C-alpha cells in the first residue's frame, strides 16, 4: 500500500505551509510529480516549494510553460522545474536534460503523465484538486517507493504543528542547519506566535554490532529518542539554568516545539569577531552552577 497524506481543504496560506514542509525533506535525486487540471495550483505549489528551498519568499519563480524547464541553484540542492504540457512525447525528455536533472538535483514535474514510463519508480506524487470553493484546494501527497517513509513523517509533523499552534494561520517553516546527529530542525514563524524551533527526531534503533558485540549507538551513548533531551532540559531548568522552553512535545513521534533562542551560536559569534572573554565566562558559570547543583543519577520526565 502506497503511503499517502491528504489535506482536505487548504487555502493559499496552508498550501504554502505544506510546500515548505515538503521542502524540509527533499534531497538530491528526488522527483516530485505535480498532478491536477489547469488552474489546480500546480505552479503555485511548485513556486512555494522553490522559494522555501531558496530561502527567499520574494524570489522570482516564473512558470516553465514556454521554456519547458527553469533551473535554480538553492543552498541545499539544485532544482529543475519542468512543465511538460507542450512536450510532443517522452523521447523529447532527452533534449531538455530530464535524466541529467534527476541525477544532479531535485526535479519538479508538472503534467508528469506526458513523461509516461520515464518517471522513476521512487517519487512523490502530489495531486491538487479544487476544494470547497475556488480559493481552496485538496492536496494528496503519495510516497512511491523509497519516498513513502518521508511522506508518512511529513503527515505526522503537519498534524503535530496543527495541534500545537491554533490557529495556524500564516505560519511559515524555514529550514535550519542541523548538527551531526540524525535530528532535523526548522524555524516556525507566524503573525500570531513568537518564532519557535521544530525538532524532528524520530526514534533511531540500535544498529549492527561494531565492537565487543555492541552497536555504535551504545558505545557512543547516543539517545534513541527525545526522552533524554526532554529530561535533561527539565533538570537543567530546575537547577536555574536557562534552556529553550518546550511549548509542545510528542515523545512517541519524536517531535518537539521549542523556544527559539536565536542564531548566535559560539561558532557564529567567533566568526563575527565577538569578544571571547564574556562567552567563556558564561560557559564557566554554567559549569560552576552544575557543580553546585549536581543532577541525580536518574532524571524523570516532566
Amino acid at each position: 500500500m502506497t503511503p499517502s497524506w491528504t489535506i482536505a481543504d487548504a487555502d493559499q496560506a496552508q498550501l504554502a505551509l505544506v510546500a515548505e514542509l515538503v521542502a524540509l525533506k527533499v534531497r538530491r535525486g528526488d522527483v516530485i510529480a505535480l498532478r491536477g487540471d489547469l488552474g489546480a495550483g500546480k505552479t503555485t505549489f511548485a513556486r512555494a516549494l522553490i522559494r522555501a528551498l531558496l530561502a527567499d519568499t520574494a524570489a522570482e519563480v516564473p512558470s516553465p510553460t514556454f521554456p519547458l524547464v527553469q533551473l535554480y541553484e538553492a543552498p541545499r540542492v539544485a532544482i529543475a522545474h519542468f512543465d511538460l504540457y507542450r512536450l510532443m512525447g517522452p523521447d523529447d525528455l532527452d533534449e531538455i536534460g530530464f535524466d541529467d536533472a534527476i541525477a544532479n538535483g531535485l526535479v519538479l514535474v508538472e503534467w508528469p503523465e506526458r513523461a509516461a514510463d520515464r518517471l522513476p519508480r521512487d517519487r512523490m506524487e502530489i495531486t491538487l484538486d479544487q476544494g470547497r470553493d475556488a480559493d481552496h484546494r485538496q492536496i494528496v501527497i503519495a510516497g512511491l517507493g523509497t519516498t513513502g517513509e518521508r511522506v508518512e513523517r511529513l503527515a505526522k509533523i503537519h498534524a503535530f504543528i496543527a495541534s500545537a499552534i491554533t490557529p495556524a494561520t500564516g505560519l511559515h517553516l524555514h529550514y535550519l542547519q542541523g548538527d551531526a546527529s540524525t535530528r532535523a530542525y526548522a524555524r516556525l514563524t507566524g503573525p500570531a506566535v513568537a518564532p519557535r524551533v521544530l525538532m524532528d527526531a524520530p526514534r533511531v534503533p540500535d544498529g549492527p554490532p561494531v565492537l565487543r558485540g555492541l552497536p555504535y549507538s551504545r558505545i557512543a551513548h547516543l539517545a534513541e529518542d527525545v526522552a533524554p533531551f526532554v529530561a535533561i532540559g527539565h533538570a537543567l531548568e530546575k537547577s536555574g539554568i536557562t534552556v529553550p522552553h518546550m511549548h509542545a512535545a510528542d515523545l512517541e513521534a519524536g517531535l518537539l516545539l521549542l523556544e527559539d533562542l536565536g542564531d548566535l551560536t559560539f561558532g557564529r559569534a567567533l566568526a563575527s569577531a565577538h569578544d571571547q572573554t564574556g562567552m567563556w565566562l558564561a560557559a564557566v558559570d554554567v559549569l560552576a552552577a552544575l557543580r553546585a547543583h549536581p543532577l541525580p543519577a536518574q532524571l524523570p520526565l516532566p
Side-chain angles (χ1 to χ4, degrees):
M1 183 177 178
T2 301
S4 64
W5 164 36
T6 299
I7 302 92
D9 210 34
D11 59 18
Q12 288 285 93
Q14 291 168 326
L15 184 146
L17 180 63
V18 172
E20 290 165 355
L21 189 52
V22 172
L24 298 179
K25 294 294 184 182
V26 297
R27 59 185 68 152
R28 180 175 174 176
D30 277 352
V31 172
I32 298 179
L34 295 163
R35 300 185 182 273
D37 295 333
L38 282 169
K42 300 183 297 296
T43 302
T44 301
F45 189 96
R47 186 173 286 126
L49 195 154
I50 291 168
R51 284 174 173 164
L53 289 168
L54 292 173
D56 183 357
T57 57
E60 184 72 19
V61 183
S63 170
T65 299
F66 292 103
L68 299 184
V69 59
Q70 296 281 0
L71 304 177
Y72 306 87
E73 283 295 333
R76 290 164 46 213
V77 66
I79 309 165
H81 180 195
F82 289 89
D83 186 325
L84 306 184
Y85 185 74
R86 298 192 303 115
L87 203 71
M88 298 301 294
D91 292 341
D92 291 344
L93 291 172
D94 296 327
E95 296 183 20
I96 58 176
F98 188 74
D99 291 338
D100 287 342
I102 296 175
N104 295 320
L106 167 69
V107 168
L108 307 177
V109 189
E110 297 187 43
W111 303 102
E113 55 271 20
R114 297 183 183 269
D117 59 357
R118 294 286 296 273
L119 292 175
R121 174 181 174 274
D122 300 321
R123 65 183 187 273
M124 287 189 195
E125 294 263 349
I126 300 180
T127 304
L128 296 106
D129 291 305
Q130 183 170 314
R132 55 187 164 92
D133 56 41
D135 296 325
H136 290 77
R137 296 289 181 269
Q138 174 176 276
I139 309 170
V140 179
I141 302 178
L144 281 66
T146 58
T147 69
E149 185 177 344
R150 276 183 282 163
V151 168
E152 291 178 332
R153 189 65 184 170
L154 289 171
K156 286 184 179 180
I157 296 172
H158 185 261
F160 173 69
I161 292 172
S163 66
I165 300 178
T166 306
T169 305
L171 290 178
H172 287 282
L173 278 169
H174 313 272
Y175 173 83
L176 287 177
Q177 181 63 47
D179 49 26
S181 72
T182 58
R183 295 183 292 267
Y185 300 89
R187 174 171 282 123
L188 208 155
T189 62
V193 294
R196 296 175 185 177
V197 171
L198 171 73
M199 178 193 285
D200 173 19
R203 178 181 290 274
V204 180
D206 288 335
V210 294
L211 183 65
R212 298 191 299 273
L214 295 175
Y216 175 76
S217 57
R218 293 290 181 88
I219 296 169
H221 302 288
L222 300 180
E224 291 186 5
D225 54 32
V226 295
F229 178 91
V230 174
I232 291 171
H234 179 61
L236 291 174
E237 193 171 32
K238 287 184 65 177
S239 298
I241 295 173
T242 299
V243 297
H245 177 70
M246 188 171 61
H247 292 284
D250 184 334
L251 300 187
E252 184 64 30
L255 293 167
L256 302 178
L257 200 57
L258 305 169
E259 178 186 5
D260 185 357
L261 297 182
D263 293 326
L264 192 60
T265 60
F266 264 56
R268 290 193 177 188
L270 292 174
S272 302
H274 277 62
D275 178 31
Q276 294 189 41
T277 303
M279 296 162 53
W280 293 117
L281 285 174
V284 170
D285 286 345
V286 172
L287 294 175
L290 287 174
R291 180 70 172 176
H293 301 87
L295 300 179
Q298 298 291 327
L299 299 180
L301 285 168

